[in-house]
Amino acid sequence: MTGKPVILRERADRDIDGALTHYLGEAGERVALAFIDALEQAFRQIARHLASGSPRYAHELDLPCLRSWRVKRHPYLVFYLERQDHIDVWRVLHAQRDIPAWMQEPAGS
């Protein structure tokens, strides 16, 4: 079973770029590559098992179908919604952030 395709929003792409920049600058290429591998594993998990993510922030953000999945061995969460034909990845955020504030950031910031 392959599951639904995972499509990242522009914000999620920028979040990932920021995490990679941080890892490359602070921890090196090996850690950055491990993050990419773990992120790809997270996307495969979400695609195959749609409801496996946590609905923890769904109520707080008034997004009833929002789910999050922890990136293995890294302090990041993937926030996504299941759509009819794909998985819509909204953000990839560090778990220690103020998640509700970061999720509601204006698109231009």
Side-chain angles (χ1 to χ4, degrees):
M1 178 179 169
T2 58
K4 293 184 177 184
V6 175
I7 299 175
L8 280 71
R9 290 184 176 217
E10 184 179 336
R11 293 298 313 225
D13 275 332
R14 288 195 309 234
D15 294 338
I16 293 167
D17 287 345
L20 286 173
T21 298
H22 170 76
Y23 280 132
L24 286 169
E26 298 295 322
E29 184 177 343
R30 191 169 134 207
V31 174
L33 290 173
F35 173 69
I36 291 170
D37 288 342
L39 193 57
E40 289 174 350
Q41 287 176 7
F43 291 156
R44 284 192 298 274
Q45 170 68 25
I46 292 165
R48 290 185 193 124
H49 306 284
L50 306 170
S52 61
S54 170
R56 176 181 174 192
Y57 293 99
H59 177 71
E60 191 171 350
L61 295 169
D62 197 26
L63 293 167
C65 298
L66 182 72
R67 294 204 173 258
S68 64
W69 183 261
R70 179 92 183 214
V71 178
K72 193 174 187 177
R73 294 182 307 275
H74 297 273
Y76 282 85
L77 298 170
V78 176
F79 290 90
Y80 67 96
L81 294 170
E82 178 185 357
R83 302 294 187 196
Q84 184 174 341
D85 59 346
H86 69 281
I87 304 301
D88 184 6
V89 175
W90 281 29
R91 301 294 305 261
V92 178
L93 297 174
H94 195 284
Q96 297 300 314
R97 302 270 188 206
D98 178 353
I99 299 297
W102 280 76
M103 289 291 290
Q104 295 175 359
E105 247 182 26
S109 51

